[in-house]
Amino acid sequence: MTRYAKPKTLDEALALLSEGSWRILAGATDFYPALGNRPLQYDVIDINGIDALRGIVESDSHFVIGARTSWAEVDKTPLPPAFEALKQAAREIGSIQIQNVASVAGNICNASPAADGVPALMILDAEVELRSRHELRILPLGEFIVGNRQTKLREDELVTALHIPKASVAGRSAFVKLGARRYLVISIAMAAARVALDDQGRIASAAISVGSCSAAAQRLRALEASLAGQEPEAIEATVQAAGLDELSPIDDVRGSAGYRRSAAREIVTRALLQAAGGSQNRAAA
């Protein structure tokens, strides 16, 4: 017989997780569709009663996004311009109804290559807070997601928050998604970019991540390095010359590997140009 638990506190949830194998239920927007017509065959901990896991707060060094925070809350919360890509991604996650209940942690724990929130979080150097009854771990998001539907989450752990270092919120950002239609679609390719300009208007730093073109979203570190010191006008030529070797797209029903690689180059260019625009985009922003 399967068990269902709805703890009211984090300590209760962690105590349950220490006792056996459970499936975590948060927004449930992926949970029930994944079941299909099959009966529920595992024990479930519903964390929707734990208020401490919801909301966005600011510390001296980080912005902290609670695991249960919905994408609608992310979109509506006043945040620095560097979070614009994350807000744009939030508006692409399903319908408005989905955005109202789908959780930030659920998106990353589902670990789909097409998870819209992941590239936008990666350009902010997001770190994943993992708690068990006896341990606290913090992993970079790029290390937490290790493959298609694969993470480093242990059976006795719960993702409790995402940490965004304030050192990583310089400049502005943008998110561009390519799908077969405008709304309610799984991406063929997507890109998030954050650009900070120096006092002379040159690119002081850039952060770029591409999703749906590898088993997990990838930072384009080589391209980031090549953009440093460039004028924004050089973005298109620099992207066209880049190898994008971090990407390993596949053929599937939404597009071929070749199309994805070509599309990634185009949407990376668009995201960078959007992020580099605006007089407020300075390294100290």
Side-chain angles (χ1 to χ4, degrees):
M1 179 180 296
T2 59
R3 295 180 294 169
Y4 170 85
K6 191 173 183 179
K8 296 296 184 183
T9 68
L10 179 58
D11 285 344
E12 289 178 46
L14 297 180
L16 288 167
L17 284 171
S18 71
E19 296 171 0
S21 179
W22 296 79
R23 193 66 62 91
I24 304 298
L25 179 67
T29 56
D30 289 310
F31 183 90
Y32 290 114
L35 284 177
N37 294 322
R38 297 173 307 225
L40 186 64
Q41 295 180 329
Y42 32 74
D43 298 332
V44 173
I45 294 179
D46 182 343
I47 64 170
N48 287 296
I50 306 176
D51 293 336
L53 296 181
R54 192 160 195 165
I56 302 175
V57 298
E58 182 178 353
S59 72
D60 290 340
S61 58
H62 290 79
F63 290 89
V64 181
I65 305 174
R68 281 190 55 232
T69 305
S70 72
W71 289 105
E73 289 175 275
V74 170
D75 186 32
K76 294 173 184 176
T77 301
L79 292 165
F83 284 85
E84 184 56 29
L86 189 62
K87 289 173 173 281
Q88 290 171 335
R91 298 192 287 269
E92 294 283 353
I93 295 176
S95 64
I96 292 174
Q97 293 91 334
I98 294 293
Q99 294 161 20
N100 282 333
V101 295
S103 67
V104 174
N107 195 245
I108 66 168
C109 288
N110 193 41
S112 166
D116 291 319
V118 174
L121 286 164
M122 290 185 76
I123 63 167
L124 295 170
D125 297 319
E127 301 164 336
V128 184
E129 180 185 287
L130 302 143
R131 289 185 183 271
S132 68
R133 195 173 188 181
H134 304 293
E135 186 180 9
L136 165 66
R137 295 196 298 153
I138 295 181
L139 294 177
L141 179 56
E143 294 181 15
F144 174 73
I145 299 175
V146 295
N148 184 1
R149 311 285 182 177
Q150 297 177 319
T151 73
K152 288 188 176 178
L153 181 68
R154 299 170 184 163
E155 278 198 349
D156 65 340
E157 286 181 323
L158 182 66
V159 172
T160 48
L162 286 165
H163 296 235
I164 310 296
K166 286 191 171 179
S168 300
V169 298
R172 305 179 71 88
S173 68
F175 174 82
V176 179
K177 175 177 176 176
L178 173 66
R181 58 180 186 268
R182 179 63 185 88
Y183 297 106
L184 302 177
V185 64
I186 298 173
S187 67
I188 297 170
M190 57 184 156
R194 178 173 58 86
V195 176
L197 303 180
D198 63 21
D199 291 337
Q200 284 73 48
R202 294 186 297 264
I203 297 172
S205 64
I208 309 155
S209 182
V210 173
S212 286
C213 291
S214 306
Q218 297 293 315
R219 282 282 293 267
L220 304 186
R221 303 282 184 180
L223 177 56
E224 293 172 4
S226 67
L227 285 165
Q230 300 263 25
E231 301 284 347
E233 290 77 12
I235 284 173
E236 185 170 2
T238 304
V239 175
Q240 289 302 314
L244 307 187
D245 295 334
E246 297 92 340
L247 304 183
S248 53
I250 62 169
D251 298 325
D252 67 12
V253 295
R254 292 191 295 278
S256 68
Y259 177 66
R260 277 192 163 92
R261 187 173 290 277
S262 176
R265 199 177 296 277
E266 174 62 25
I267 62 176
V268 163
T269 301
R270 294 186 188 187
L272 282 165
L273 289 172
Q274 289 181 33
S279 60
Q280 297 178 11
N281 186 10
R282 292 291 182 266

